[in-house]
Amino acid sequence: MKKLDGKRIILLGVTLFSMFFGAGNLIFPPYLGYLAGQEAVPAFIGFMLTAVVFPVLGVTAVARTGGLDHLCEKVHPAFALVFSFAVYLCIGPMLAIPRTTSTSYAMFAFLTDRLGEGSIFGISIQFAVSFIYSLLFFIAAGMVAKHPEKLKDRLGKKLTPILILLILILFFAGLMHGELTVNEASGAYADSAFGTGFVEGYNTMDTLAAMVFGIVIAMNIRDFGITDNASIAKETIRGGVIAGIVLASMYGMLTFLGTRSGSLISGAQNGTEILTALSGSFFGDLGSVILAAIYFIACFNVCVGLISSCAKFFSEKLSFMGFDAWRWAITAWSFCISIMGLNVILAISVPILSVIYPVAMAVIVLNLIPFKAFGNPLLHKAVVVLALIYGIYSVI
């Protein structure tokens, strides 16, 4: 087999989408719409560039070069190795994986709040419940991640269709509520809607995710029966385009809901508060259940995809441990980080992402420009250094 048929390529694209669409993808679009208000269109365009276009370009670049480490080889082999590890650690056990359980747990507050603020044997009930939830969440994710070549069957066929259906239900409910209004732009969106949306797209971490998911997507393509590397690269790119289309559709729906939430909630601090208010207004108590299901499935899919990808990478680069050992090591470490809480994780992630993201985007663009002159190693070095300086400056 040299090429996937329509049904299989759609399944591959949906599987890749499921690995992209997690905690940040649910949090940031509705908050963008809420704050941008009447300036939501330029803000959304900026957001789309860093949250959709660059991830698709990232999938394309990695597929064409043969892996994340090959993207940076023209800068320096040592830099390529260090950057690869930095991306995998950032998108994996240090930030993105722990965030999946913290965010999904927060959506079950309609149940956990009923337990009160008491303690058992000197341990807070709320902490104990979150501890048990995170433990079970990661055990389940670690078990599903055992067979990365089967993610198309477990995520693409089973969980993701349910996720998309639930978001569609929420979106169409928003269309039917005509009394919701759009506010004027506030905060940074009032001054620079496009630029602020562009920067907010960093927080989804999808450009970095695009660099690490290729290794698992290739395994799923091989499981279809395609073994030629050139064909695998082509199918990976096709799957990336489909994933980008689905991502853009989901982002558009969530942003739309956020723009129309101004009359329903005031002083919202994040997208979770906005979606909670909207779902409650649309469906009453059932809204909490729907939203919890959306968050759980989205976060679980991403967690499984990241564990598989990171374990595969580390087992190849640090072969003193096999895939299964790395799978459980990453799962255990992520569990330990997750109990620190979502706010701590987000506070740590912002400066790190601000430094790494410009470098990642620069490397992707350099590897996709078709002109021979842009393949000059000296140019790669200069552009990466400038991107790194810009990233550090933006944090300072």
Side-chain angles (χ1 to χ4, degrees), residues 37-232:
Q38 295 178 352
E39 296 296 322
V41 172
F44 181 70
I45 292 173
F47 182 82
M48 285 278 289
L49 287 176
T50 46
V52 177
V53 175
F54 266 98
V56 173
L57 292 178
V59 171
T60 303
V62 171
R64 288 181 58 183
T65 58
L68 172 56
D69 48 346
H70 295 299
L71 281 177
C72 306
E73 283 185 340
K74 291 181 180 179
V75 179
H76 193 279
F79 174 80
L81 185 63
V82 171
F83 183 72
S84 297
F85 272 95
V87 170
Y88 270 95
L89 286 172
C90 183
I91 199 67
M94 296 303 297
L95 297 173
I97 297 178
R99 191 170 72 175
T100 58
T101 183
S102 300
T103 306
S104 61
Y105 173 76
M107 301 314 302
F108 288 94
F110 69 96
L111 293 177
T112 58
D113 285 349
R114 298 179 182 180
L115 299 175
E117 299 294 333
S119 61
I120 300 177
F121 303 114
I123 300 175
S124 167
I125 292 178
Q126 293 295 331
F127 176 79
V129 172
S130 66
F131 183 93
I132 294 171
Y133 174 88
S134 295
L135 181 62
L136 296 176
F137 184 97
F138 278 118
I139 289 175
M143 292 174 65
V144 175
K146 182 177 182 179
H147 296 289
E149 75 282 359
K150 299 296 183 182
L151 294 188
K152 63 185 183 304
D153 301 312
R154 296 172 179 177
L155 304 186
K157 285 185 179 179
K158 297 178 180 179
L159 291 177
T160 308
I162 299 174
L163 170 65
I164 293 174
L165 176 62
L166 291 174
I167 294 176
L168 285 171
I169 291 173
L170 197 61
F171 172 69
F172 283 113
L175 287 177
M176 295 173 62
H177 281 67
E179 71 275 10
L180 300 180
T181 58
V182 180
N183 291 338
E184 293 184 0
S186 60
Y189 289 99
D191 299 323
S192 177
F194 175 85
T196 305
F198 186 89
V199 174
E200 281 300 308
Y202 290 0
N203 291 321
T204 65
M205 293 197 261
D206 283 346
T207 298
L208 300 183
M211 293 179 160
V212 308
F213 285 147
I215 193 170
V216 169
I217 291 300
M219 295 174 69
N220 281 265
I221 295 173
R222 288 191 180 93
D223 194 60
F224 277 131
I226 296 178
T227 57
D228 177 65
N229 289 334
S231 298
I232 290 174

Side-chain angles (χ1 to χ4, degrees), residues 288-348:
S288 297
V289 178
I290 293 174
L291 199 58
I294 290 174
Y295 271 73
F296 177 83
I297 296 173
C299 292
F300 186 80
N301 285 349
V302 171
C303 186
V304 171
L306 288 174
I307 291 173
S308 297
S309 300
C310 292
K312 184 65 176 176
F313 173 79
F314 287 120
S315 64
E316 291 180 354
K317 300 299 180 182
L318 301 174
S319 56
F320 61 86
M321 286 172 54
F323 173 81
D324 283 337
W326 275 113
R327 174 169 58 94
W328 286 117
I330 291 168
T331 301
W333 176 262
S334 300
F335 164 71
C336 293
I337 296 294
S338 72
I339 60 177
M340 295 169 58
L342 178 60
N343 291 335
V344 174
I345 294 170
L346 291 177
I348 295 172

